[in-house]
Amino acid sequence: MKIVVDAMGGDYAPTAIVSGVVDAVEEFDVNVILVGREDEVKAELSKHNFNKARIDLLHAPDVVGMHEPATVTLRKKKLSSISVGINLLKRDPSCDAFISAGNTGAVVAAATINLGMLEGVERPAIGLVIPTLKRFAFLIDVGANADPKPQHLMQSALMARVYAKEVLGIPNPAVGLINIGEEASKGTGFEKETYKLMEKRVANFIGNIEGNEIFSGKADCIICDGFVGNIIIKISEGLMESAAAVLKREIKKAPLAILGAMLMKPRLNHIKKLADYSEYGGAPLLGVNGLVMISHGRSSPKAVKNAIRATMREIEHNINTVMVSEISR
Amino acid sequence: MKIVVDAMGGDYAPTAIVSGVVDAVEEFDVNVILVGREDEVKAELSKHNFNKARIDLLHAPDVVGMHEPATVTLRKKKLSSISVGINLLKRDPSCDAFISAGNTGAVVAAATINLGMLEGVERPAIGLVIPTLKRFAFLIDVGANADPKPQHLMQSALMARVYAKEVLGIPNPAVGLINIGEEASKGTGFEKETYKLMEKRVANFIGNIEGNEIFSGKADCIICDGFVGNIIIKISEGLMESAAAVLKREIKKAPLAILGAMLMKPRLNHIKKLADYSEYGGAPLLGVNGLVMISHGRSSPKAVKNAIRATMREIEHNINTVMVSEISR
């Protein structure tokens, strides 16, 4: 397996990216091509000992900033690590996938334009593996398409089922549609139409699920538009951070509580690990004609390594081929 | 002050409602008219000692179920506690407000149809006071209108500022629009247009705020459509419940952690209280021509009492009059 990795993407690039890649080639049977500014990436690589046969380097002089507007930037920076990396994946049949922790909008745009769409899929969607009270769930779309049509959500649901089955190993994934009530008649015209389409076409569709059921484990695949999905993951992050901040503040007010927190620490750390997205790898960009994985902008070396592991599972299970055959049925 | 209270609304009606009303008239300078099935409400009242001059009873034979479709039910059950209560508020000038913990859709429909809209407001919206890291914020709309137009959100923002100023006592409330990015160019056409309207018309508009900033205290008034608002409050509830369940499960695995949790208990209870919506009263239905408060369906007597207290503050500050003058400026 050969994976192309954007060395310049994310808040801690290239340091964290290179470090994660070195760990990955050490631990897994995978080769990596790092794409980015040659001198900077070389300087990072020189800090590590690793099997030189496993990591290659491809120079890309431009870097897309994390907050630059995607489409403008892509036109101006044709030699960015994102564009060069995506093009390498497209042209070189020995390359299996592309991973970036960079500007999400730019990755989505570059992948959509250069790789094109999978047969039967009209729009890309970003999925995310989230922890639930039972096991894991696959939430899609978390931000590729803020204004989709009902059939786009239906296509995402079909792709999500393949992902949950093949990559997460869930035998017959239950699919739920995010809505503001259980009944098919709830929500706006958009949700009602999506419900009807999914009822007809998606196996094991369990109907609407409400906001409070997302983390309950009721559904294995949770379908929503990219606007709502973005709000869901950000509010979850924000709420857990706020809760942790309040917890710390309150504990400090009482010496006995400080002692209590010390005694609880190993369990609290375990929970923190359970809730840590970086444990589960990145967020696959589904629907494009090629395997593309988006890693969190705040990616640590561990997150990069886990993104590579998750991508290897996608390659192994040949998910895009399975998706196309599922959608064409 | 005289407040009309739906005795039959909510999962624990009429028991919890009557109990909360008795506590309220004991503690506050307020009179209440309970609306509902006379025999059931009388039976509950007979369990308490209270000042008889403070609580009146108005018979309404029908009860709207918590999950019945609102519009159908209202047509069939013309003598429901919701319809009779709203009509009493409309007809009797000595009544100042109506509170219900019943079917939200039915309360919104009955209030909109019977009371009509405030001058300059086209659609109703439900607000909710939420705790943040700093103080409180006012989130609107949490479920009255899932498919609004940009001007509806702008009108909600103007009402929210009045509410935050008059009822929550925040001097110059900062207003934020929920979106998937900070820049004015983010989101769908809907958000972009709403942003422009709010920029022109709403004082102290601080722009877009993202999901992770909702509980940070950055904005005092947080504006969104009723679909997104419903998801936000339900996901927050669900996430805190899931987090508490995981915490309990993990603590039980280690004796030292059990001891630690016992030592932390007073602080954990304090946090639970901070995060408890019932501490902050109900959710005002804004935009209708009359004061209507919606209390959580799972309302406890304490939540009912706090909803009455919050409603008294609305009456004192004459918020509907202030809103109309603010909107007509």
Side-chain angles (χ1 to χ4, degrees):
Chain A
M1 289 188 196
K2 202 195 273 177
I3 298 177
V4 184
V5 175
D6 173 8
M8 312 308 286
D11 297 339
Y12 310 116
T15 312
I17 309 294
V18 170
S19 175
V21 164
V22 167
D23 292 348
V25 300
E26 189 76 9
E27 205 169 310
F28 314 135
D29 187 16
V30 68
N31 293 321
V32 168
I33 302 181
L34 279 165
V35 183
R37 289 190 183 135
E38 200 168 359
D39 48 346
E40 292 182 38
V41 180
K42 269 192 176 155
E44 288 299 329
L45 280 170
S46 71
K47 296 178 189 167
H48 301 272
N49 281 318
F50 60 96
N51 181 348
K52 303 272 184 294
R54 291 273 182 160
I55 302 181
D56 261 338
L57 177 54
L58 179 63
H59 180 58
D62 298 338
V63 174
V64 177
M66 290 301 277
H67 296 287
E68 289 187 83
T71 42
V72 182
T73 310
L74 284 180
R75 247 175 289 142
K76 281 192 197 152
K77 296 182 175 173
K78 286 202 198 306
L79 292 178
S80 72
S81 54
I82 291 173
S83 291
V84 171
I86 291 273
N87 274 312
L88 178 62
L89 173 65
K90 188 187 179 181
R91 285 190 336 262
D92 184 343
S94 78
C95 293
D96 298 297
F98 173 72
I99 300 176
S100 176
N103 185 314
T104 300
V107 175
V108 173
T112 308
I113 295 165
N114 294 301
L115 303 175
M117 301 304 297
L118 281 183
E119 215 186 305
V121 183
E122 290 163 74
R123 291 283 184 286
I126 301 172
L128 188 68
V129 179
I130 59 169
T132 73
L133 280 181
K134 288 188 189 156
R135 43 187 174 188
F136 300 110
F138 191 63
L139 178 67
I140 187 169
D141 170 27
V142 300
N145 185 3
D147 204 7
K149 293 197 162 33
Q151 73 262 29
H152 302 152
L153 261 65
M154 191 268 282
Q155 289 157 8
S156 291
L158 295 174
M159 293 194 287
R161 256 180 69 83
V162 170
Y163 200 91
K165 221 190 280 187
E166 301 291 329
V167 180
L168 306 181
I170 301 171
N172 180 24
V175 178
L177 173 66
I178 296 253
N179 204 337
I180 55 174
E182 270 188 30
E183 304 84 0
S185 62
K186 289 283 178 170
T188 68
F190 175 78
E191 281 80 34
K192 288 175 207 169
E193 204 184 318
T194 306
Y195 190 104
K196 272 187 212 158
L197 278 178
M198 287 180 54
E199 208 176 18
K200 250 188 247 169
R201 188 64 180 82
V202 179
N204 203 7
F205 174 55
I206 60 168
N208 291 327
I209 69 162
E210 298 191 64
N212 52 336
E213 296 169 327
I214 293 170
F215 294 98
S216 71
K218 190 176 172 186
D220 303 302
C221 300
I222 301 169
I223 317 298
C224 59
D225 68 56
F227 190 91
V228 167
N230 177 287
I231 304 282
I232 288 174
I233 57 167
K234 289 208 177 136
I235 198 177
S236 307
E237 268 182 46
L239 197 59
M240 294 318 278
E241 278 169 19
S242 297
V246 171
L247 194 64
K248 270 187 194 158
R249 192 182 71 191
E250 292 302 320
I251 285 170
K252 278 191 190 144
K253 289 182 186 167
L256 277 180
I258 297 175
L259 177 61
M262 283 166 60
L263 293 173
M264 279 173 69
K265 198 146 198 209
R267 302 324 297 165
L268 290 177
N269 283 344
H270 183 70
I271 293 172
K272 214 172 151 190
K273 203 176 156 181
L274 282 178
D276 183 2
Y277 284 28
S278 69
E279 293 288 334
Y280 311 119
L285 174 65
L286 300 183
V288 294
N289 193 12
L291 295 179
V292 176
M293 182 69 93
I294 294 165
S295 196
H296 199 294
R298 285 191 270 173
S299 280
S300 61
K302 191 178 66 182
V304 174
K305 193 186 82 180
N306 287 334
I308 290 175
R309 185 173 53 190
T311 306
M312 290 174 69
R313 242 175 283 146
E314 294 182 9
I315 300 168
E316 246 171 66
H317 289 267
N318 220 332
I319 59 158
N320 274 354
T321 311
V322 183
M323 282 178 190
V324 169
S325 89
E326 183 64 38
I327 288 166
S328 69
R329 272 212 295 175
Chain B
M1 290 188 195
K2 201 196 276 178
I3 298 177
V4 184
V5 176
D6 172 8
M8 312 308 287
D11 297 340
Y12 310 115
T15 313
I17 309 293
V18 170
S19 176
V21 163
V22 167
D23 291 347
V25 299
E26 190 76 5
E27 206 169 311
F28 314 136
D29 187 17
V30 67
N31 292 322
V32 169
I33 302 180
L34 280 164
V35 183
R37 290 192 183 133
E38 200 168 358
D39 47 345
E40 291 181 39
V41 180
K42 269 193 176 155
E44 288 300 330
L45 280 170
S46 71
K47 296 178 190 166
H48 301 273
N49 281 319
F50 61 94
N51 181 347
K52 303 272 183 294
R54 291 271 182 162
I55 302 180
D56 261 337
L57 176 54
L58 179 62
H59 179 60
D62 298 336
V63 174
V64 177
M66 291 302 276
H67 296 287
E68 290 186 82
T71 43
V72 181
T73 310
L74 283 180
R75 246 176 288 143
K76 280 192 197 154
K77 296 182 174 173
K78 288 201 197 306
L79 293 178
S80 72
S81 54
I82 292 172
S83 290
V84 171
I86 291 273
N87 273 312
L88 178 63
L89 173 64
K90 187 186 177 184
R91 283 191 336 262
D92 184 344
S94 78
C95 293
D96 298 297
F98 173 72
I99 300 176
S100 176
N103 184 314
T104 300
V107 175
V108 174
T112 308
I113 295 165
N114 293 303
L115 302 175
M117 301 303 297
L118 281 183
E119 216 186 307
V121 184
E122 290 164 73
R123 290 283 185 284
I126 301 172
L128 188 69
V129 180
I130 59 170
T132 72
L133 280 182
K134 288 189 191 154
R135 43 187 172 186
F136 299 109
F138 191 63
L139 178 67
I140 187 168
D141 171 25
V142 300
N145 186 2
D147 204 7
K149 294 197 162 30
Q151 74 263 30
H152 302 152
L153 260 64
M154 191 267 282
Q155 290 158 7
S156 291
L158 294 174
M159 293 193 288
R161 255 180 69 83
V162 171
Y163 200 90
K165 220 189 282 186
E166 300 291 331
V167 180
L168 307 180
I170 301 171
N172 181 23
V175 178
L177 174 65
I178 297 254
N179 204 337
I180 55 175
E182 270 187 30
E183 305 84 0
S185 63
K186 289 284 179 169
T188 67
F190 175 77
E191 282 80 32
K192 287 176 207 168
E193 205 183 315
T194 306
Y195 190 104
K196 272 187 213 158
L197 277 178
M198 287 179 55
E199 208 175 20
K200 251 189 250 169
R201 189 64 180 84
V202 179
N204 203 7
F205 175 55
I206 59 168
N208 292 328
I209 69 162
E210 297 192 64
N212 52 336
E213 297 169 326
I214 293 171
F215 294 99
S216 72
K218 189 177 172 186
D220 303 303
C221 300
I222 301 169
I223 317 299
C224 60
D225 69 55
F227 189 91
V228 168
N230 178 286
I231 305 282
I232 288 173
I233 57 166
K234 289 209 177 135
I235 198 177
S236 308
E237 267 183 45
L239 197 59
M240 294 320 279
E241 279 169 17
S242 297
V246 171
L247 194 64
K248 272 189 192 157
R249 191 182 71 192
E250 292 302 320
I251 286 170
K252 279 192 190 144
K253 288 182 186 165
L256 277 180
I258 297 176
L259 178 60
M262 281 165 60
L263 294 172
M264 280 174 69
K265 195 140 201 212
R267 302 324 296 164
L268 289 177
N269 282 344
H270 183 69
I271 293 172
K272 214 171 150 189
K273 203 176 158 182
L274 283 178
D276 183 2
Y277 283 28
S278 69
E279 293 289 333
Y280 311 119
L285 174 66
L286 301 183
V288 294
N289 192 12
L291 295 179
V292 176
M293 181 70 93
I294 294 165
S295 196
H296 198 293
R298 285 191 270 173
S299 281
S300 60
K302 191 179 66 182
V304 174
K305 193 186 81 180
N306 287 334
I308 291 175
R309 185 172 52 191
T311 306
M312 290 173 69
R313 242 176 283 145
E314 295 183 8
I315 300 168
E316 245 171 67
H317 289 267
N318 221 332
I319 60 158
N320 274 353
T321 311
V322 184
M323 282 178 189
V324 168
S325 89
E326 183 64 37
I327 288 166
S328 69
R329 273 213 292 173

